[in-house]
Amino acid sequence: MDARLALGEAIAVLRSRMERVADSPPSPPTLGETGAQSPPEWGDLGGEPIPQPPTLDYLGDRFGLSLLERGTLLLCAAQELDNEIPALCDRWQGSRNLPYPTFALAFDLFGEEDWQAVSSEGALCYWNLLEVRSRDTLPEKWCPLKIDSRVLNFLAGSPRLDRRLASLLFPLGATPGGLLPALSPSQEAVVEEIVGAIVAADPRRPLPIIQLLGGNGGCKQQIAGAVAARFGRSLFGLLGQLIPTAEADYLRFLRRWEREERLLDLALYLDTREVRSGEAVQRFAAQCRGLLFLDGRDVRIPDHRETLAIAAEVPTPAEQRLAWSTVLGEAAGETPAVLASQFRLNFGEIDRLAAVTRDRPNHPQGQRSLWRACLQRSAPGLESLAQRLPVKAGWDNLVLPEEALGLLWQIVHQVRLRSRVYDDWGFRARLNRGLGTAALFAGESGTGKTMAAEVIAQELDLHLYRIDLSAVVSKYVGETEKNLSRLFAAAEEGGAILFFDEADALFGKRSEVSDAKDRYANIEIDYLLQRIESYGGLAIMATNLKGSLDTAFLRRLRFVVDFPFPAAEYRRAMWEKVFPPEVPRGALDCQFLANLELAGGAIHNIAINAAFLAAEGGERLEMSHILAAARSEWQKLGRPIYEEQFKIQSSPFKMDEERVIDFSRQG
């Protein structure tokens, strides 16, 4: 029978009984009287039995309600749904202007007096199934009773979540099926371990809290959802910072959640990764007795709660490679190996991403679209902690000695060939850490360190993120490590190269501990050393002060690339490449310009300034413009100026020497 119809039928029978005996209600039993006769069945006193609606029967079983408490709830529901009930309530209570249900009325109506039902620890009040609206002039058993709106909706058959919780929670449903299963074999093993721990838990105690470790939130949510489904529960998520902190608000929130958990068979996934103060979360974890999954490391769980901390990771590289081969087909070639080595994705994500190229997996445009889709999937987590650099430079723009260029190419090959070396050749089985690639670019300012990072990102077709120290480093103890943890976790999704500019600011030498500041500074450096070693992607550090770096950090690097101050032959090559072909220009003496001892960054600045000087005069670019801009750059660097340096002594070019002098003065 429809729940609303069943509830309406029960209310109709209740109303009929109240109408028949409203003028001469039965006397309630006297306290202390003992059983001359046994108590009647529920609803069987005074005439036709009151049918118990299925929803009331279910709710009563879930919360352990007595027959009297169930009848009281039905009476309160009738007050809301039947217009005749208020008048009948007043007649039953002696026409004393009491047009509402009370505990005293329920005692009379159902022939039983149970003061446990009135208690704040009784099920009706404890679970907020109804509200006792206290009035100073009335004893508590004569105070108005009002059923909670969520409970009334449930009795009427509504399956919806309490609207007061719906704005805080978000459903975490099952991933739609595709060519791949929802979970990989390694993830299924984690599910089995969690299920086994829950089944083996002491039933007399609250369920153990499942603390899920790992950087991929989607993976942890999938595993939590699979565990919840094994126990017939639906999973909802909650951001830890939304838990109320005020006492009254917190208690209402806790009770409402526990009530919904019992009514609808729910489990909770609590995300605490962005929680700044964990007190409310700790309190909630201590008191929530249902199936609770905790996402985050920084919340201290009280000792009295049993906890299972378990790593919930994405599928292994071998599983991801097999998954890519499954969704792309046999003709995919090396694409599955390359994607599995670069990105860390769940099966559901692989299934969805492969859809962009499933019709043409071997077409270059299809592979390009797939790669870009994977990059976009991994990008958002880094935006708040790092600045994405536009990648425009190529190998032709880079002027370096052969040794440095060779090391840069080795970095590229190590990233590209990780799957072959680590998986096909078995190195992954022997290594716990050090599977990533860390490189240091050392040299004076302007020698090409940032450009080299751009060139590598361009070659690998990966995003380049420069770490924003203002967003990472915090004056509060422990916050810097948290920010770095988020940074590395987001980067390990696979689509990014981390670029630490001015790395000596983060990776400086540890000092002797003389006060608390020194100790915490050393802790930050220790954390960085450990995290760089365990990081699985490509991290590039650039510094002008190689000697300031901690020696333990240097040991963890795969590559150290020195960017020397360019010799004259390299400076000439830079001058020859610095101007785009679209620039209108006269004959330039690059050999003469190479005699100016400048790094690549300064040469780039001079080229830009010279172009603006030419554009200002409506002329093509000439040596006079370059020399004027070079003189200004020389001044900016604080070097002594010798005018002869900025004049060509003998030159095949027709130049207006006086104009050069004028430009110099303007500079």
Side-chain angles (χ1 to χ4, degrees):
M1 181 184 294
D2 178 81
R4 181 175 288 274
L5 291 176
L7 179 62
E9 180 181 333
I11 292 175
V13 174
L14 175 65
R15 182 183 67 245
S16 175
R17 171 184 298 182
M18 294 179 71
E19 288 172 342
R20 284 198 305 270
V21 294
D23 295 327
S24 56
S27 300
T30 305
L31 286 176
E33 288 184 357
T34 57
Q37 61 181 30
S38 60
E41 295 292 331
W42 186 82
D44 198 29
L45 181 68
E48 179 185 356
I50 301 174
Q52 187 168 182
T55 50
L56 180 58
D57 189 32
Y58 175 88
L59 188 146
D61 290 343
R62 285 300 171 110
F63 296 102
L65 302 182
S66 68
L67 295 175
L68 171 63
E69 290 169 328
R70 298 182 192 205
T72 305
L73 270 185
L74 179 62
L75 177 62
C76 292
Q79 170 79 1
E80 302 293 331
L81 300 177
D82 191 316
N83 293 332
E84 297 182 25
I85 295 297
L88 290 172
C89 287
D90 187 43
R91 289 170 61 189
W92 260 81
Q93 298 177 100
S95 298
R96 291 177 292 177
N97 194 26
L98 300 175
Y100 45 74
T102 64
F103 280 118
L105 173 57
F107 294 164
D108 281 349
L109 185 60
F110 299 105
E112 181 181 354
E113 190 166 308
D114 181 4
W115 290 96
Q116 176 62 28
V118 183
S119 167
S120 61
E121 295 302 315
L124 292 176
C125 295
Y126 180 84
W127 293 109
N128 292 335
L129 303 180
L130 54 75
E131 176 187 357
V132 181
R133 298 193 166 183
S134 298
R135 294 186 179 179
D136 295 337
T137 58
L138 293 175
E140 188 163 0
K141 74 172 185 175
W142 291 100
C143 289
L145 302 180
K146 182 174 178 59
I147 191 170
D148 184 83
S149 60
R150 168 65 182 117
V151 178
L152 177 63
N153 290 333
F154 180 82
L155 290 177
S158 172
R160 295 181 180 178
L161 191 70
D162 189 330
R163 58 179 176 79
R164 294 160 294 190
L165 293 177
S167 61
L168 303 177
L169 304 176
F170 50 94
L172 295 172
T175 304
L179 296 179
L180 300 173
L183 299 176
S184 70
S186 61
Q187 293 172 324
E188 288 285 2
V190 173
V191 171
E192 292 297 333
E193 183 176 353
I194 297 173
V195 169
I198 294 174
V199 171
D202 187 345
R204 297 167 297 180
R205 303 183 61 188
L207 291 174
I209 295 173
I210 311 301
Q211 188 172 24
L212 298 174
L213 309 177
N216 189 295
C219 165
K220 290 183 279 191
Q221 291 172 9
Q222 277 191 299
I223 289 176
V227 173
R230 294 283 289 273
F231 292 97
R233 293 174 176 261
S234 301
L235 184 66
F236 277 80
L238 170 67
L239 300 178
Q241 58 267 33
L242 297 181
I243 296 177
T245 55
E247 179 72 15
D249 294 338
Y250 167 79
L251 290 175
R252 279 194 294 268
F253 171 80
L254 174 65
R255 204 67 67 226
R256 283 171 184 159
W257 164 253
E258 290 191 323
R259 188 177 68 191
E260 290 299 296
E261 179 191 35
R262 291 196 176 202
L263 279 177
L264 302 179
D265 285 325
L266 304 181
L268 185 64
Y269 178 90
L270 185 57
D271 187 344
T272 66
R273 290 174 295 177
E274 300 297 328
V275 172
R276 297 300 178 187
S277 175
E279 294 180 2
V281 173
Q282 292 171 9
R283 184 180 182 187
F284 182 80
Q287 297 177 344
C288 182
R289 293 168 290 186
L291 184 53
L292 176 63
F293 299 90
L294 199 61
D295 179 359
R297 294 174 176 267
D298 301 321
V299 175
R300 182 183 178 276
I301 301 173
D303 295 336
H304 74 275
R305 288 301 304 271
E306 182 182 354
T307 306
L308 174 64
I310 188 167
E313 299 289 353
V314 296
T316 66
E319 291 172 336
Q320 292 181 61
R321 183 173 177 177
L322 181 60
W324 280 116
S325 297
T326 300
V327 296
L328 296 179
E330 297 179 356
E334 292 296 318
T335 301
V338 174
L339 292 172
S341 68
Q342 185 59 54
F343 302 100
R344 302 173 72 246
L345 301 170
N346 288 306
F347 278 5
E349 293 170 318
I350 291 175
D351 221 337
R352 290 192 297 273
L353 290 169
V356 304
T357 185
R358 193 163 285 158
D359 295 334
R360 46 179 184 170
N362 298 314
H363 191 281
Q365 188 61 38
Q367 293 181 354
R368 174 68 175 168
S369 299
L370 177 59
W371 184 267
R372 301 307 298 178
C374 292
L375 280 178
Q376 293 304 320
R377 154 64 185 79
S378 61
L382 283 167
E383 298 297 337
S384 62
L385 296 170
Q387 175 191 5
R388 182 177 167 187
L389 298 179
V391 175
K392 298 179 180 179
W395 293 102
D396 291 341
N397 304 111
L398 202 58
V399 179
L400 285 174
E402 289 298 322
E403 181 180 0
L405 285 173
L407 289 174
L408 296 182
W409 273 111
Q410 284 189 48
I411 294 172
V412 170
H413 295 322
Q414 286 212 5
V415 174
R416 279 182 173 162
L417 300 174
R418 283 185 294 194
S419 180
R420 182 180 303 174
V421 173
Y422 291 152
D423 298 313
D424 296 346
W425 293 1
F427 274 90
R428 190 182 299 276
R430 295 192 174 192
L431 299 174
N432 289 325
R433 53 181 57 206
L435 294 171
T437 304
L440 176 68
F441 292 174
E444 294 183 29
S445 178
T447 51
K449 301 183 293 296
T450 302
M451 181 181 288
E454 288 185 33
V455 169
I456 290 175
Q458 179 87 303
E459 180 67 29
L460 293 170
D461 195 9
L462 294 174
H463 293 156
L464 179 65
Y465 283 89
R466 179 165 56 196
I467 309 310
D468 184 357
L469 294 182
S470 66
V472 171
V473 178
S474 173
K475 65 181 180 180
Y476 299 106
V477 174
E479 285 298 310
T480 299
E481 291 89 329
K482 288 182 183 179
N483 292 335
L484 287 168
S485 176
R486 290 170 52 210
L487 174 72
F488 281 108
E492 280 179 332
E493 298 299 313
I497 298 172
L498 293 183
F499 181 58
F500 293 86
D501 203 3
E502 308 296 341
D504 45 279
L506 276 176
F507 299 92
K509 292 181 179 178
R510 287 165 287 189
S511 59
E512 293 185 6
V513 177
S514 59
D515 56 26
K517 292 183 179 179
D518 293 336
R519 181 162 65 89
Y520 287 119
N522 287 348
I523 290 173
E524 290 178 3
I525 297 173
D526 291 339
Y527 175 81
L528 269 170
L529 294 175
Q530 297 171 15
R531 201 60 185 86
I532 281 290
E533 190 171 20
S534 63
Y535 177 56
L538 173 57
I540 299 174
M541 281 65 69
T543 182
N544 305 338
L545 303 170
K546 181 179 174 181
S548 299
L549 298 177
D550 197 287
T551 54
F553 168 67
L554 294 174
R555 179 181 64 79
R556 289 166 167 81
L557 297 172
R558 287 274 185 91
F559 298 95
V560 176
V561 184
D562 289 312
F563 287 71
F565 191 88
E569 60 179 302
Y570 296 110
R571 295 198 294 270
R572 175 171 181 169
M574 292 177 188
W575 281 112
E576 291 172 347
K577 297 179 178 181
V578 73
F579 294 105
E582 296 85 0
V583 176
R585 51 186 162 173
L588 305 181
D589 189 348
C590 292
Q591 183 59 53
F592 176 83
L593 294 173
N595 293 327
L596 299 175
E597 295 184 357
L598 295 166
I603 291 174
H604 176 78
N605 290 340
I606 292 171
I608 294 292
N609 290 335
F612 274 104
L613 288 173
E616 178 188 353
E619 303 166 343
R620 66 180 184 175
L621 183 71
E622 300 286 359
M623 282 291 291
S624 56
H625 305 120
I626 297 175
L627 291 175
R631 190 178 190 279
S632 298
E633 186 72 16
W634 207 268
Q635 273 185 323
K636 185 183 75 175
L637 296 174
R639 297 183 182 181
I641 295 177
Y642 302 100
E643 295 295 339
E644 296 301 319
Q645 289 179 294
F646 303 99
K647 294 181 181 179
I648 298 179
Q649 301 302 321
S650 60
S651 172
F653 310 123
K654 292 183 179 180
M655 301 186 61
D656 184 352
E657 293 291 335
E658 187 63 26
R659 185 171 179 80
V660 174
I661 295 173
D662 289 344
F663 269 111
S664 301
R665 290 170 183 167
Q666 290 176 19

